[in-house]
Amino acid sequence: MSPHADLRVELAQLTNRTYQVRKLSHPGRWAAGIIVAILVILLVAAFAQGQIDWPVVAEFLTTATIMKGIVNTLLISALSMILGLVLGVVFAMMKQSPNPVNKAVAEGYIWVFRGTPVMLQLLIWFNIALVFPTIGIPGVLSWRTIDVVTPFVAAVLALGINEGAYMTEVVRAGLLSVDKGQSEAAATLGMSPAQTFRRIVLPQTLRVIIPPIGNSAIGMLKTSSLATAISARELLNATQQIYFVNGQVIELLMVAGIWYLAATTVLSVIQYFIERHFGRGFDGQQAARKVEPLEAEGK
Amino acid sequence: MNQIPNASIAVKAVNVTKSFGQTQVLRGVDLEVRKGEVFCLLGPSGGGKSTLLRCINHLETPDDGVIWVDGAIVGYELRGGVLHELPPRVARAQQRKIGMVFQHFNLFPHKTALENVMEGPLVVLKQGKDEAQTKALARLEQVGLAEQAHHYPSQLSGGQKQRVAIARALAMEPELMLFDEPTSALDPELVGEVLSVMKDLAASGTTMIVVTHEVGFARAVADCVGIMVEGTMREFGDPETVFSNPSDPRVQAFLAAVIEQDF
Ligand SMILES: Nc1ncnc2c1ncn2[C@@H]1O[C@H](COP(=O)(O)OP(=O)(O)OP(=O)(O)O)[C@@H](O)[C@H]1O
Ligand SMILES: [Mg+2]
């Protein structure tokens, strides 16, 4: 029995039209807040006073090597995302196709590229010359593979083709989310399949798939750092180039961290505005988030 | 089958047959609707009413039989005694002359009421933006929704959505309007506003085929009613005759059920 067991009130006791209300106080919340705040202050202070030479961080933040690294990181990520999206649309359509060969190929693609670590795929593309020393059209054109598949190209191929396997599922879910009645309504207006896709189905698909694509793009920006392992000249690789020479390891890793954080923050803001654009006409923009971002952590 | 129907006829269906896999949904349906008439189609669920409508506007293709709408066979060209399937572009030109209103509205959710109504005229009829907009606003006015022109479908009630859908179909200036249970998804208090728009349309001389369970509406507005059971047209005629003394026992049972529901 609680101390408030007798909650009964006689109706006759309710004499006022309004009562003063006393809410419960929450001392626990205050205490927890204060403890967390203190921990954060200690942590920040520790890093401020720790063995990090912040002026060095500031000095290298905008060096030419780092700048070039950022440009390459952005290029690799953007090209890989584009490749991934194109593959995603193509394989999503193949997977929906009534043709069993198309369907099987799409499923095989997803099976292989989602089933192996992206790091492994990077290394295989980087070493593809061991499998095919030359590429081209037999008897017409021929190049040495190492000249064509540079670390940059290997990174874009590996990351893009890997991303495509995830994008296939995202695009397919998006296409399936549009009710069949939409295409039928468009057909009764006399719209062609191409017009129907572009003006009716695609905008509604985008609304659903843009949040996972945005998350993928943010993930890609970070995953592209794996390409340092095949010595693609991206941001992380650039910082390593510098610290192998000057030994300022942590400072340069901080530089990389600051730039990655800046880039992902900008992407999140862009994502917000794009989602708002495609969410028009739908109650609660939250609805667009219902398609869960697929696990892009293939590493 | 090849006789040229009279000029006053809007729709004629002869022996329309359609199966989905093993289930035969339409078993040789005949139908004749005159220009300016309202034809109401009733019948128990699963009887093939929607399938018949979808065949009339070429969303489905019959397995056998022909449907003739306003001077041409839907989806085919008759040449040398053989029906040749029409190329998609020509079939679409036929389709746009037949307006369709769906049970679940099927408005484009990413477009406002006005944009929904403008879509066909802009994209299919290639009207200019100003012309399309002026006409679309007039259509919305006609269904009593001028004020909601800039609302998205999610901001409209069911009855308002259905009236926008009617305006959208009318914007294509169709020769024939098809309605598939236009009020079945509506709350009871919203049914009236949609039926009253449809009554106005009927009064303006639009040829209409309406699948409905609203016996009251059929009695008041229809020139002709049909009752479909298990893929055949069991009763066909003027509303008084069909509703008062149906001969088929399945039809009697069906009517007893819906008319009872009406009260
Ligand atoms: N695309 C399809 N594939 C398979 N079966 C279908 C398809 N469309 C309709 N059917 C079947 O055909 C039968 C008739 O359907 P239809 O929708 O024409 O009936 P209806 O008279 O409109 O019924 P309701 O009053 O429930 O709308 C049903 O048994 C339905 O399951
Ligand atoms: Mg139906």
Side-chain angles (χ1 to χ4, degrees):
Chain A
M1 276 277 156
S2 78
H4 297 293
D6 190 13
L7 297 174
R8 280 182 306 121
V9 172
E10 292 300 326
L11 216 48
Q13 287 175 261
L14 285 175
T15 47
N16 295 2
R17 279 192 71 80
T18 63
Y19 285 90
Q20 204 188 351
V21 177
R22 190 148 299 152
K23 291 275 171 72
L24 285 176
S25 59
H26 295 279
R29 279 184 203 169
W30 279 96
I34 289 166
I35 291 168
V36 170
I38 289 171
L39 288 176
V40 169
I41 290 167
L42 288 176
L43 193 70
V44 170
F47 270 88
Q49 292 159 15
Q51 301 278 341
I52 298 179
D53 200 348
W54 291 103
V56 174
V57 174
E59 181 193 336
F60 281 100
L61 200 58
T62 53
T63 350
T65 316
I66 297 288
M67 290 292 118
K68 243 184 264 166
I70 293 170
V71 170
N72 277 336
T73 283
L74 293 178
L75 270 179
I76 291 173
S77 309
L79 293 174
S80 304
M81 271 318 283
I82 291 168
L83 179 60
L85 265 173
V86 170
L87 291 175
V89 172
V90 170
F91 282 102
M93 290 190 164
M94 279 173 74
K95 218 180 154 181
Q96 280 191 332
S97 141
N99 179 336
V101 177
N102 284 348
K103 219 177 146 127
V105 168
E107 271 158 16
Y109 165 69
I110 295 173
W111 179 60
V112 170
F113 288 94
R114 278 207 325 203
T116 54
V118 69
M119 186 63 142
L120 179 78
Q121 294 172 30
L122 271 166
L123 291 171
I124 289 176
W125 282 107
F126 181 56
N127 292 301
I128 200 80
L130 299 177
V131 189
F132 309 106
T134 59
I135 50 172
I137 308 160
V140 186
L141 278 173
S142 174
W143 294 282
R144 291 197 314 149
T145 304
I146 15 177
D147 295 339
V148 180
V149 186
T150 60
F152 182 92
V153 172
V156 170
L157 286 174
L159 296 172
I161 292 172
N162 180 262
E163 187 65 33
Y166 292 92
M167 278 299 146
T168 301
E169 292 296 321
V170 171
V171 172
R172 204 173 72 97
L175 290 174
L176 288 178
S177 75
V178 181
D179 185 69
K180 193 161 66 61
Q182 293 287 307
S183 317
E184 287 184 350
T188 62
L189 296 178
M191 289 169 77
S192 71
Q195 288 168 335
T196 304
F197 182 74
R198 199 169 53 75
R199 300 187 55 97
I200 307 300
V201 177
L202 190 61
Q204 295 181 57
T205 305
L206 286 179
R207 181 185 71 87
V208 178
I209 70 178
I210 272 179
I213 289 178
N215 294 334
S216 285
I218 291 169
M220 178 64 79
L221 204 72
K222 298 177 292 176
T223 311
S224 69
S225 64
L226 290 180
T228 188
I230 59 169
S231 48
R233 297 272 178 263
E234 47 70 64
L235 177 54
L236 185 60
N237 192 267
T239 62
Q240 289 177 315
Q241 296 297 324
I242 300 175
Y243 73 64
F244 287 153
V245 176
N246 72 3
Q248 306 261 351
V249 178
I250 286 294
E251 288 74 10
L252 279 142
L253 290 178
M254 288 291 150
V255 169
I258 289 166
W259 279 116
Y260 279 118
L261 202 52
T264 50
T265 306
V266 170
L267 274 189
S268 306
V269 173
I270 295 174
Q271 184 186 14
Y272 168 79
F273 284 104
I274 296 181
E275 274 175 34
R276 205 172 60 165
H277 174 77
F278 282 101
R280 68 193 192 284
F282 290 88
D283 276 342
Q285 319 255 303
Q286 248 46 19
R289 290 195 173 274
K290 269 193 195 130
V291 168
E292 287 295 312
L294 282 156
E295 270 300 314
E297 259 68 44
K299 304 124 218 181
Chain B
M1 189 146 102
N2 293 346
Q3 61 170 12
I4 301 304
N6 189 305
S8 68
I9 291 177
V11 182
K12 187 169 177 75
V14 182
N15 189 34
V16 176
T17 306
K18 175 81 188 172
S19 301
F20 292 108
Q22 297 295 332
T23 40
Q24 205 180 5
V25 177
L26 299 178
R27 303 164 187 255
V29 177
D30 295 335
L31 173 69
E32 190 174 292
V33 180
R34 288 162 183 279
K35 280 189 182 153
E37 255 186 9
V38 176
F39 171 63
C40 283
L41 184 55
L42 292 86
S45 181
K49 307 179 297 293
S50 300
T51 307
L52 180 62
L53 276 197
R54 294 164 60 83
C55 287
I56 293 174
N57 77 350
H58 208 234
L59 285 176
E60 304 281 0
T61 315
D63 300 331
D64 194 13
V66 284
I67 298 173
W68 183 98
V69 176
D70 215 24
I73 295 167
V74 175
Y76 294 94
E77 183 184 8
L78 187 60
R79 253 189 291 129
V82 177
L83 290 178
H84 295 266
E85 193 177 345
L86 289 176
R89 202 173 46 80
V90 185
R92 286 200 295 275
Q94 281 185 335
Q95 233 174 353
R96 75 176 194 225
K97 292 191 195 143
I98 303 172
M100 173 102 171
V101 174
F102 299 87
Q103 180 174 357
H104 296 287
F105 330 126
N106 296 359
L107 290 180
F108 306 132
H110 59 303
K111 292 179 183 289
T112 61
L114 184 64
E115 288 167 343
N116 265 277
V117 181
M118 285 167 66
E119 185 68 9
L122 272 184
V123 178
V124 178
L125 302 181
K126 310 283 181 209
Q127 284 177 9
K129 210 168 173 199
D130 291 338
E131 185 193 358
Q133 179 159 349
T134 314
K135 287 187 174 169
L137 279 171
R139 290 298 178 198
L140 286 173
E141 181 93 59
Q142 182 184 351
V143 298
L145 286 174
E147 307 233 311
Q148 282 77 13
H150 296 288
H151 289 202
Y152 284 98
S154 62
Q155 298 163 323
L156 299 173
S157 73
Q160 291 173 330
K161 280 184 208 170
Q162 196 57 298
R163 287 188 280 152
V164 172
I166 294 172
R168 177 176 70 177
L170 291 176
M172 297 302 289
E173 295 175 7
E175 318 259 359
L176 167 68
M177 282 287 284
L178 309 178
F179 295 81
D180 193 357
E181 302 195 29
T183 57
S184 294
L186 300 179
D187 291 338
E189 75 270 24
L190 301 177
V191 168
E193 62 189 62
V194 172
L195 291 183
S196 109
V197 165
M198 289 169 61
K199 275 180 191 159
D200 292 347
L201 259 187
S204 75
T206 312
T207 313
M208 294 162 57
I209 299 182
V210 185
V211 173
T212 183
H213 293 302
E214 302 286 338
V215 175
F217 175 83
R219 258 189 217 281
V221 180
D223 299 291
C224 191
V225 299
I227 296 184
M228 247 179 110
V229 182
E230 290 162 2
T232 54
M233 198 69 79
R234 291 290 169 90
E235 298 280 341
F236 186 90
D238 69 281
E240 257 341 287
T241 320
V242 171
F243 289 137
S244 318
N245 32 11
S247 40
D248 188 292
R250 280 292 314 260
V251 173
Q252 286 167 355
F254 166 74
L255 284 178
V258 277
I259 291 172
E260 188 177 314
Q261 227 177 47
D262 248 16
F263 296 96

